Amino acid sequence: MPSTEHNAPSLLDGSIIGPAIIGAFTKLDPRALVRNPVMFVTAVGAVLTTIGIVTADGDRGFIFQLALWLWFTVLFANFAEAVAEGRGKAQAESLRRARRETTARRLVNGREEQVAATLLQKGDTVVCEVGDIIPADGEVIEGIASVNEAAITGESAPVIREAGGDRSAVTGGTTVISDRIVVRVTMERGAGFLDRMIAMVEGARRQKTPNEIALTILLSAFTLIFLLVCVTLWPFGFYAGTSFSVPVLIALLVCLIPTTIGGLLSAIGISGIDRLIRRNVMATSGRAVEAAGDVDVLLLDKTGTITLGNRMATEFHPAPGVAAERLADAAQLASLADETPEGRSIVVLAKEKFNLRGREVAEPHAVFVPFTAQTRMSGVDFPALADQPARSIRKGASDTIKAMVERLGGQFPEAVTRSVDEVARSGGTPLVVVEGREVLGVVQLKDVVKGGIKDRFAQLRQMGIRTVMITGDNPLTAASIAAEAGVDDFMAEATPEMKLELIRREQAGGHLVAMTGDGTNDAPALAQADVGVAMNTGTQAAREAGNMVDLDSNPTKLMEIVEIGKQLIMTRGALTTFSIGNDVAKYFAILPAMFAAVYAADGATNGPLSALNIMALASPQSAILSAVIFNALIIVVLIPIALRGVAYRAIGAAALLRRNLLIYGLGGVVAPFIGIKLIDLILSALHLV
Amino acid sequence: MTFNAILYVLLIVGGSALLSWPLGRYLKWAMDPAASAGGGNRWTRAFQAIGGPLTLKQQNWKQYLLALLAFNAVSFTVTVLILALQQYLPLNPDAKGELDPSLIFNTAVSFVTNTNLQHYSGEVAMSYASQLGALMWQQFVSAATGIAALAAMARGLAGRTNMGNFFVDLQRATFLILLPLAILVAILLVFGGMPMTLQGSAIATTLEGIQQTIARGPVAAFTAIKQLGTNGGGFFGPNSTQPFENPTFWTNVLEAIAITIIPMACVWMFGRIVGKMRHAGIVFVVMAVLMLTRIGFAVWFEQTPTEAFNTLPIAQNVGNLEGKELRFGAAAGPVWAVLTTSTSNGSVNAMLDSLNPLTGLMPMIGMWLNEDFGGVGVGFINMFVYIVLAVFLAGMMVGRTPEYLGRRIEAYEVKLAVIATLSHSFLILGLAALFAATPWGTAVLNNVGAHGFSEILYEFSSSSANNGSGFEGINDTIFTVPWNIATGLVMMLSRFIPIILPLAIAGSLAAKRPAAESAGTLGTESGTFGVMLLVTIVILGALTFFPAAALGPIAEHFQFYH
Amino acid sequence: MQSFLASLRLVVATMLISVVAYSAVVLGIAQLLTPATANGSLIANAQGQVVGSKLIAQKFTEPRYFWPRPSAVDYNAAGAGGSNKSPTSTDLTERATGTVAAYGATAANPLPADLAAASGGGLDPHITEQSALYQVPRIAAARGIPAAGIDELVARYSFAPGGILAPDRLVNVLELNLALDQMAPAS
């Protein structure tokens, strides 16, 4: 069940391409290039070749073309990064725009003053009234208001924010649409979610993630190996009586070093974050996104994630000697004023089963007794009237009702106790209905498992992810729902401490754990989890403890986050493999060209190693140029894959590896043979060499 | 390929593979006795008594490594002393004289590092005291060092931060593994007709009345450990082509099996210590596939007759016989050439320099990869570096932080693994480049053109792979001081870097929180992983060495064979 | 420092056990059970004079003897070695041209390849049965005896070194020449 996704800007969106082209050139700054060893070497090669146009004694036109394409290689890589940045920033900018024009009403010693939102400090308090844009991330310390968070969530329905409790956090850039609240700013300027998001999609300020660092090391090693290969070719040539020209050696080097993945690496990282943002999830670090891909245990809150938010009445179990209709009628009466979804579902069920029309709440003289923490029951009282005696109907948990009935001197029938147990065993919640001291029977409330969730868990299991349902329900109920939903494990009667304990235990067993949470008491568990996704509706404490915030507050999204994490790493792996695979064909293009004259018999132009020209490329120069051009163009061709990510499928690891090895490994070996041959044909046809 | 060649390969490779299984079980018992094993622990106590107080402590990876290096430093010194003083020492019936200092350095390094590159001819230069006390002794302890290092690494990968005690492990490997096997093989070789004597050379008067001096000596004892410990340094200059060092077809079979049996068993030992026999099985298959592929090609290429005879009235109905012995049969030369270079042994039963160009490429590839079975102990350690890289790439392709045996492979491990790979490539290509472009190399070649380049390339490949075989064209009399020093340094660096870095990786992994396996984990026990590992090795090796190979054997091939 | 002391203890232990004891055991067994081969498979003539080793090729140039394969070290049994020439080397062509001339080989009667190719150690004691038979006419002529008898001798002395694994039949040149001398003592 994919969540609403903001439309991804088209890959050819002019508003992104334009600045990206400029960005491709500004990123030629050596200080920026040096962050990426592969592209830095390429740029150095391009500079040397450019100098070679003047100094080399070979064919200048050829060297000029080489230099041109080497520069293109660097520019294309810069362009890829710039496009990815552009797409991420486009999203972030629209958020930031809101704040830029905001003025805040800061409270100083009880007096309001106008101040630019950008000047707010952590700890300032501000007042927001209808129509005000909340100037910074913060916590409501006074009042209650409905807030439109469409600016960051895209969801137009307003949400309630109030002081205290679990709904006190507000995000800068959202708009108050009713009432008045006082907000204490909790984020340092520049450290708010928006700022962090923007920082993560800007290449220059982006921190490299652990996996990215490791990959960069590997790519640097490949670069060094090929540097060694190319540098030693010169003395080897000396032995063989051949002198290889420096531009050609540079061309070979640039073709061999993994420019494809090197050029796309940061674009992949940025677009991974971007994909999260488009699903309305904000991560506080790229590290968290990567960790999401490694997660193998998901702790999921039952309510809202596995089941629809509310329990529904599904059955009436009358006590012996009581007509089912009477039970239904009493239950309906008791629930008329109960605006909770459970209450409403009882009214609806009675209507469906016995055609009892829901009477108006304004039933004459009825006095509704709301649920309180003390009585732990609700109901309705009718005063004694001429035509009928006084009635008192109550519904509640069986133990509370039993205590009351017995206090009133009534009997709690054995059969009802059995019904209660049966309902509980089957995963339902029994609600006992009494009139006076007569027990009428049991209303069965049941959690309704979301459609399709079982398949989803089966998929997760194939991905190697174990799901654990967290619920406050008793073990019987929990077990039954767990079985129905198909989760692997459950934790019943869970407390925040138990959650934390469970996470620690799983981690000690070598698992990486992800969870969602919203309450302040979830904060320790969120902090302990490897991936803690806080609901945006949650408290500031929860949002600070987690390493991601879901603006939609949709707990199901954890699964999408995991997929995004996996996709991010997979894309890197696939393109690395592709990049290395390409080298085989490039060898067969460039080496025969370089070695053509080596050990040639006297007077012959072609030596023994011409036999390696298995692609039958037109001439040594066109062979070398074709390889260099292919090497540059492949970066552009792969930009869409880098930005979208390779397709993730919920199949086992071995199957996934086979698939990717075939597509990107074998494909990486085969594709350049075709590509280089085609470019060679075009070059020869155009007489460019 | 004829029927009997296939049968021969089956006998050698299949035979070693079968024998390696029980031997692997024995290796585990000897190197890593379970706490409850009475026998193993009695030995441990005996070794502790011999080694002194330091052997009672468990060592972490750094302490283990320091102990290993200390022992190697001491044993290097002892070897140098024996070689330098051989003219004064007993057991010198043929009155061998003083050795050149650079040769002493080269030889001592060569035997300490388990390389056994020989820039001398044994029967010409070495006294029996040098042969036995310095060289054969190192053939035991340098091999034992490798096995000990693997046992330590395996313990680390099994999650133990204490990697054992080097001084105990060295004795276990020497006395419990190498010694019994060497005694067994030596006795079989003696019965196969091999000399075992302390008498000096025999003098014969031939039927035509010429005096022939016949060098001999304690050959059987020397040859047994030479083969078993992936040492390869021959008692005689031309190694196991010399009839005394390999008298019959059957001694040849025995020696060939002795080349690979411990390297193969090391794979099983690793599997048993880490408790992952299926994984060990997959790695074993990958190694076997790589080795058998090269054997197949080598035997195939060597069926081309000697090119130089093509214009002469010589029957070209058999393969290339130059540099080969008839008693071993047609396939024996190329098969051994591959076995000996797959395993970093380096002994020969046919002259590698005289192999057809593409046949000669196969041993080079073996040394470039240096892991399909590889040296005793260190072969699997080299493979471990490839495994780290393959696991890293494969892990990324399935969207997870890569892990090996339940430990995450991160930047630190990748860094050490690539340095290990890089150093091997650098020492081969860098120094081959240096010698190819300078008179140091070009002035002493025995062959011209592409083949001469192959000789240079081969010498550094052999040094860096700690192999020790040679395209002996650069022959012993013209090996000069630059060669002695350069190859000596290469051997030293490429012996210890690939022991230090993998042990450091294992130490780092051992300290990590183990990760649980799930369906999302890439199993290292699946065929898919095997393919991934194979592809990683082949592509990495091909990309690094293809240009050099093209300028050497491949150029020579296309020059002469169309 | 302690490590070096422990290392020294190990040096002593391994020297004593894996060098001294090991060599002694193998030496003892060899000298006790197989003294002849253990001392180099030496062959003595009727006068008790050592004429060579069964395992080591020796030089034969006289027409009345079977000739062994070429040796890059001129059959130096105290300094063995091969040619170490590439099979593509012109040096080999040159050497083989000399061999071909010595045998008087022609296109119609080409020389078996093992007689042209030097062995690895230069001391290969064997030639193929075919190469032995190739030389029979020359020997028969030199000794003035019928070729048939020599053919028969070659057949008697030929063996397959590895059964079906190496079926090409070989003969030991020294043994064959000794038998030849016995059959038809040189006058």
Side-chain angles (χ1 to χ4, degrees):
Chain A
M1 52 199 84
S3 64
T4 52
E5 186 179 328
H6 291 270
N7 285 336
S10 147
L11 290 174
L12 294 173
D13 190 332
S15 64
I16 289 173
I17 299 289
I21 291 175
I22 297 167
F25 284 93
T26 55
K27 282 168 187 290
L28 287 176
D29 182 344
R31 283 166 301 177
L33 280 174
V34 81
R35 277 170 54 90
N36 184 335
V38 179
M39 295 324 294
F40 185 73
V41 169
T42 310
V44 171
V47 170
L48 289 178
T49 313
T50 310
I51 296 169
I53 302 174
V54 188
T55 58
D57 27 72
D59 178 344
R60 298 237 159 99
F62 168 65
I63 297 173
F64 172 75
Q65 292 191 59
L66 272 187
L68 193 67
W69 282 101
L70 292 182
W71 281 118
F72 275 142
T73 312
V74 181
L75 288 173
F76 289 164
N78 288 347
F79 175 72
E81 185 181 275
V83 168
E85 270 179 42
R87 282 156 58 90
K89 265 199 264 184
Q91 178 74 16
E93 279 297 333
S94 69
L95 307 182
R96 183 142 68 178
R97 206 171 303 127
R99 188 154 44 158
R100 208 174 280 147
E101 299 133 16
T102 312
T103 45
R105 294 157 62 186
R106 182 162 62 185
L107 280 177
V108 182
N109 303 326
R111 287 187 34 222
E112 267 180 42
E113 59 176 35
Q114 297 280 324
V115 63
T118 48
L119 296 178
L120 286 176
Q121 303 284 321
K122 186 175 178 177
D124 286 351
T125 49
V126 293
V127 177
C128 300
E129 281 181 322
V130 180
D132 284 347
I133 291 172
I134 296 174
D137 290 0
E139 194 174 359
V140 181
I141 52 172
E142 194 186 313
I144 176 166
S146 51
V147 176
N148 181 352
E149 299 194 331
I152 50 172
T153 64
E155 177 63 53
S156 56
V159 294
I160 300 294
R161 292 285 177 260
E162 60 186 333
D166 287 353
R167 292 186 296 177
S168 62
V170 288
T171 309
T174 56
T175 315
V176 176
I177 54 174
S178 76
D179 303 292
R180 173 182 188 276
I181 47 175
V182 177
V183 173
R184 183 171 57 231
V185 177
T186 52
M187 281 292 175
E188 212 58 76
R189 195 156 55 82
F193 273 110
L194 280 176
D195 304 280
R196 281 197 244 168
M197 251 166 67
I198 291 166
M200 273 198 299
V201 295
E202 279 177 349
R205 286 161 61 195
R206 207 165 54 89
Q207 292 283 313
K208 281 188 180 163
T209 56
N211 174 267
E212 208 176 348
I213 292 170
L215 181 56
T216 304
I217 291 171
L218 184 71
L219 298 181
S220 308
F222 273 115
T223 307
L224 277 174
I225 286 182
F226 291 125
L227 195 61
L228 173 72
V229 166
C230 294
V231 167
T232 53
L233 269 181
W234 193 80
F236 288 173
F238 182 82
Y239 173 90
T242 314
S243 174
F244 300 125
S245 83
V246 173
V248 169
L249 283 173
I250 289 173
L252 177 63
L253 175 65
V254 171
C255 283
L256 292 178
I257 62 177
T259 47
T260 313
I261 178 66
L264 294 172
L265 191 54
S266 54
I268 294 169
I270 294 168
S271 61
I273 306 275
D274 180 47
R275 276 198 294 283
L276 265 189
I277 294 174
R278 271 187 278 118
R279 284 177 175 78
N280 277 338
V281 176
M282 290 197 274
T284 53
S285 70
R287 181 188 286 261
V289 186
E290 256 174 28
D294 289 347
V295 158
D296 55 0
V297 175
L298 286 189
L299 302 191
L300 298 168
D301 279 329
K302 182 197 78 179
T303 307
T305 310
I306 295 169
T307 60
L308 294 172
N310 314 299
R311 285 173 288 201
M312 311 279 270
T314 53
E315 203 76 57
F316 294 112
H317 301 283
V322 177
E325 204 169 343
R326 182 170 165 223
L327 169 63
D329 179 64
Q332 194 185 43
L333 279 173
S335 306
L336 281 177
D338 186 350
E339 279 302 314
T340 63
E342 285 98 344
R344 270 185 300 210
S345 78
I346 294 175
V347 174
V348 170
L349 184 73
K351 183 176 158 190
E352 275 173 5
K353 287 229 159 171
F354 302 102
N355 206 18
L356 298 169
R357 291 188 34 242
R359 283 142 285 197
E360 275 307 301
V361 177
E363 178 91 6
H365 319 299
V367 179
F368 292 100
V369 183
F371 180 89
T372 67
Q374 283 78 41
T375 60
R376 295 175 62 215
M377 60 179 80
S378 64
V380 61
D381 285 334
F382 295 97
L385 288 179
D387 55 339
Q388 60 182 69
R391 296 174 73 190
S392 169
I393 304 171
R394 292 287 183 276
K395 65 181 186 356
S398 71
D399 50 345
T400 340
I401 297 285
K402 191 175 178 186
M404 183 189 76
V405 168
E406 281 165 4
R407 197 172 60 246
L408 293 174
Q411 272 264 323
F412 198 85
E414 196 64 18
V416 173
T417 309
R418 274 200 303 275
S419 292
V420 164
D421 287 347
E422 224 164 80
V423 168
R425 234 192 332 274
S426 71
T429 306
L431 217 51
V432 180
V433 181
V434 290
E435 181 164 358
R437 60 185 198 185
E438 184 189 5
V439 179
L440 297 179
V442 179
V443 180
Q444 177 175 356
L445 293 176
K446 215 178 160 200
D447 272 309
V448 179
V449 172
K450 283 185 177 175
I453 198 93
K454 196 163 184 168
D455 296 341
R456 194 66 192 254
F457 289 146
Q459 258 183 17
L460 285 170
R461 203 167 301 121
Q462 274 188 317
M463 287 158 66
I465 296 171
R466 202 155 52 85
T467 44
V468 180
M469 182 181 83
I470 306 290
T471 172
D473 293 341
N474 65 57
L476 273 180
T477 312
S480 153
I481 296 171
E484 195 183 342
V487 293
D488 299 298
D489 205 350
F490 65 88
M491 171 183 255
E493 292 169 349
T495 62
E497 295 73 36
M498 286 166 67
K499 263 198 220 183
L500 183 62
E501 183 49 41
L502 176 67
I503 293 174
R504 291 203 169 125
R505 203 164 58 233
E506 292 288 354
Q507 287 176 336
H511 297 282
L512 258 69
V513 183
M515 69 167 285
T516 57
D518 50 9
T520 299
N521 52 16
D522 281 335
L526 279 171
Q528 178 71 33
D530 299 281
V531 175
V533 182
M535 301 291 103
N536 195 44
T537 51
T539 58
Q540 191 61 33
R543 288 166 48 160
E544 301 243 328
N547 43 20
M548 289 190 200
V549 173
D550 178 14
L551 300 176
D552 294 339
S553 304
N554 171 6
T556 319
K557 214 179 276 170
L558 206 44
M559 305 176 203
E560 286 172 54
I561 294 172
V562 168
E563 284 185 7
I564 290 172
K566 282 190 180 296
Q567 201 184 25
L568 173 68
I569 297 179
M570 264 173 58
T571 307
R572 285 192 199 126
L575 292 187
T576 304
T577 310
F578 186 86
S579 195
I580 302 297
N582 275 200
D583 284 356
V584 176
K586 291 171 188 166
Y587 262 145
F588 279 101
I590 298 185
L591 288 188
M594 284 177 71
F595 295 166
V598 174
Y599 299 125
D602 289 337
T605 47
N606 280 345
L609 288 171
S610 309
L612 294 179
N613 184 8
I614 54 176
M615 281 185 272
L617 302 179
S619 70
Q621 293 196 338
S622 95
I624 293 167
L625 202 55
S626 301
V628 173
I629 293 175
F630 177 86
N631 191 52
L633 291 181
I634 196 70
I635 295 179
V636 180
V637 172
L638 292 178
I639 287 178
I641 290 189
L643 295 186
R644 276 201 302 264
V646 303
Y648 180 78
R649 274 151 207 255
I651 47 180
L656 204 54
L657 177 62
R658 265 197 300 279
R659 190 187 138 83
N660 285 334
L661 206 50
L662 269 181
I663 298 179
Y664 296 98
L666 195 62
V669 172
V670 174
F673 277 104
I674 300 165
I676 291 174
K677 180 67 187 173
L678 277 178
I679 296 171
D680 176 71
L681 290 175
I682 294 170
L683 286 182
S684 326
L686 298 179
H687 299 289
L688 281 172
V689 282
Chain B
M1 230 177 288
T2 53
F3 171 69
N4 41 41
I6 293 172
L7 216 59
Y8 180 80
V9 172
L10 273 180
L11 171 72
I12 305 284
V13 180
S16 326
L18 283 179
L19 288 172
S20 73
W21 177 260
L23 185 60
R25 180 185 283 269
Y26 175 74
L27 255 57
K28 158 74 171 88
W29 174 86
M31 292 308 294
D32 195 46
S36 56
N41 287 315
R42 263 199 300 283
W43 284 111
T44 303
R45 281 191 292 279
F47 298 147
Q48 284 168 340
I50 293 175
L54 212 55
T55 55
L56 298 174
K57 273 193 304 213
Q58 288 284 301
Q59 295 167 324
N60 65 26
W61 74 268
K62 277 183 195 151
Q63 295 162 327
Y64 196 96
L65 206 52
L66 283 176
L68 184 150
L69 294 175
F71 176 79
N72 274 270
V74 171
S75 77
F76 173 79
T77 313
V78 171
T79 308
V80 166
L81 285 176
I82 295 176
L83 292 177
L85 301 175
Q86 74 163 358
Q87 62 272 32
Y88 309 114
L89 293 174
L91 285 180
N92 191 3
D94 292 322
K96 305 296 185 196
E98 196 178 334
L99 298 166
D100 177 78
S102 78
L103 179 65
I104 293 174
F105 165 74
N106 186 278
T107 306
V109 170
S110 169
F111 279 76
V112 167
T113 58
N114 195 247
T115 310
N116 295 20
L117 188 76
Q118 294 169 294
H119 284 180
Y120 64 89
S121 193
E123 72 269 42
V124 177
M126 293 292 167
S127 75
Y128 293 166
S130 295
Q131 294 269 40
L132 297 179
L135 307 185
M136 191 180 78
W137 173 60
Q138 278 296 354
Q139 292 185 334
F140 276 100
V141 293
S142 71
T145 300
I147 298 174
L150 175 60
M153 189 185 84
R155 291 187 193 114
L157 293 176
R160 302 185 228 164
T161 44
N162 280 327
M163 290 193 165
N165 184 296
F166 173 76
F167 298 110
V168 173
D169 280 347
L170 183 96
Q171 294 182 76
R172 285 174 172 156
T174 309
F175 299 140
L176 297 183
I177 296 171
L178 296 171
L179 187 63
L181 279 174
I183 291 175
L184 178 70
V185 171
I187 290 172
L188 288 173
L189 290 175
V190 161
F191 287 123
M194 196 176 283
M196 182 66 206
T197 176
L198 290 178
Q199 297 176 46
S201 302
I203 308 291
T205 309
T206 68
L207 297 190
E208 294 189 353
I210 312 165
Q211 288 255 311
Q212 189 184 31
T213 306
I214 301 174
R216 48 186 179 168
V219 188
F222 194 92
T223 304
I225 186 63
K226 170 192 92 175
Q227 296 301 94
L228 284 167
T230 58
N231 293 293
F235 190 90
F236 297 101
N239 214 295
S240 283
T241 64
Q242 218 276 12
F244 278 165
E245 201 158 329
N246 200 356
T248 69
F249 178 88
W250 296 107
T251 57
N252 187 64
V253 168
L254 176 63
E255 288 185 27
I257 290 176
I259 289 178
T260 46
I261 182 161
I262 297 183
M264 281 178 169
C266 280
V267 180
W268 303 127
M269 176 184 88
F270 175 84
R272 287 184 189 282
I273 293 180
V274 300
K276 300 266 181 189
M277 286 310 278
R278 276 185 60 85
H279 170 59
I282 289 290
V283 174
F284 192 96
V285 169
V286 170
M287 290 174 162
V289 166
L290 282 166
M291 190 170 86
L292 284 169
T293 308
R294 288 201 309 280
I295 288 180
F297 277 119
V299 171
W300 171 258
F301 291 137
E302 206 51 15
Q303 288 183 334
T304 306
T306 318
E307 170 70 20
F309 300 163
N310 266 350
T311 52
L312 300 171
I314 294 172
Q316 292 285 54
N317 54 350
V318 286
N320 172 26
L321 287 179
E322 181 69 20
K324 290 192 190 56
E325 307 289 305
L326 294 177
R327 60 191 177 280
F328 306 146
V335 170
W336 182 305
V338 171
L339 292 180
T340 193
T341 47
S342 286
T343 58
S344 124
N345 184 294
S347 62
V348 297
N349 76 346
M351 285 304 166
L352 301 183
D353 214 349
S354 299
L355 294 175
N356 284 330
L358 291 184
T359 320
L361 178 60
M362 296 302 134
M364 285 198 229
I365 294 175
M367 297 184 297
W368 294 336
L369 304 182
N370 204 21
E371 45 47 35
D372 40 286
F373 299 114
V376 289
V378 292
F380 195 94
I381 296 181
N382 288 336
M383 183 52 122
F384 168 68
V385 173
Y386 285 106
I387 291 175
V388 168
L389 297 180
V391 161
F392 183 74
L393 281 174
M396 282 206 304
M397 274 200 283
V398 300
R400 267 176 79 97
T401 300
E403 50 200 57
Y404 179 57
L405 301 181
R407 318 271 160 166
R408 277 172 232 284
I409 305 280
E410 292 167 300
Y412 178 74
E413 290 78 24
V414 171
K415 184 160 69 186
L416 297 191
V418 297
I419 293 174
T421 318
L422 266 172
S423 73
H424 184 56
S425 322
F426 178 81
L427 290 171
I428 293 175
L429 293 178
L431 283 153
L434 180 65
F435 276 64
T438 57
W440 285 348
T442 51
V444 300
L445 297 178
N446 184 40
N447 284 278
V448 294
H451 197 83
F453 177 71
S454 298
E455 287 179 339
I456 297 175
L457 186 61
Y458 196 102
E459 189 70 10
F460 285 107
S461 303
S462 176
S463 303
S464 185
N466 287 161
N467 183 276
S469 64
F471 265 25
E472 299 286 343
I474 312 171
N475 72 43
D476 312 329
T477 50
I478 46 183
F479 267 123
T480 51
V481 175
W483 278 103
N484 284 338
I485 292 172
T487 53
L489 291 175
V490 170
M491 286 186 282
M492 202 163 356
L493 290 172
S494 44
R495 168 69 165 180
F496 293 108
I497 292 174
I499 287 181
I500 293 170
L501 296 181
L503 272 183
I505 296 177
S508 147
L509 290 180
K512 288 190 187 192
R513 187 178 98 183
E517 284 200 20
S518 72
T521 315
L522 179 71
T524 48
E525 314 196 327
S526 70
T528 311
F529 174 74
V531 172
M532 179 74 205
L533 180 59
L534 191 70
V535 170
T536 306
I537 294 169
V538 170
I539 294 277
L540 199 65
L543 292 181
T544 310
F545 293 106
F546 183 70
L551 288 172
I554 296 175
E556 189 188 4
H557 174 82
F558 284 119
Q559 211 170 354
F560 291 97
Y561 308 84
H562 302 288
Chain C
M1 199 57 230
Q2 261 190 317
S3 296
F4 288 101
L5 278 178
S7 298
L8 274 177
R9 296 171 74 134
L10 260 56
V11 166
V12 173
T14 49
M15 276 282 186
L16 287 178
I17 298 171
S18 63
V19 175
V20 178
Y22 165 66
S23 305
V25 166
V26 180
L27 188 69
I29 289 174
Q31 292 295 338
L32 222 62
L33 299 180
T34 60
T37 54
N39 289 317
S41 306
L42 301 177
I43 298 175
N45 60 15
Q47 291 78 43
Q49 192 181 19
V50 173
V51 297
S53 163
K54 181 190 166 184
L55 295 178
I56 301 292
Q58 54 183 244
K59 193 173 184 174
F60 286 102
T61 51
E62 295 171 16
R64 62 197 179 104
Y65 283 121
F66 287 98
W67 297 344
R69 301 176 59 192
S71 168
V73 293
D74 198 25
Y75 309 98
N76 176 2
S83 71
N84 294 314
K85 292 293 180 191
S86 163
T88 64
S89 164
T90 50
D91 294 350
L92 281 192
T93 314
E94 218 170 282
R95 188 195 72 202
T97 308
T99 313
V100 163
Y103 281 98
T106 60
N109 185 22
L111 188 68
D114 62 299
L115 287 182
S119 68
L123 300 172
D124 190 349
H126 301 114
I127 55 177
T128 58
E129 181 180 34
Q130 192 193 357
S131 296
L133 294 175
Y134 186 85
Q135 302 185 39
V136 166
R138 182 193 72 223
I139 295 164
R143 295 195 179 240
I145 55 173
I150 307 177
D151 283 350
E152 199 187 305
L153 192 71
V154 169
R156 192 161 0 116
Y157 272 82
S158 75
F159 67 102
I164 56 160
L165 291 166
D168 296 332
R169 300 186 75 81
L170 307 179
V171 294
N172 183 303
V173 177
L174 178 59
E175 285 185 327
L176 193 59
N177 281 334
L178 281 167
L180 195 60
D181 274 351
Q182 215 163 31
M183 181 177 85
S187 44

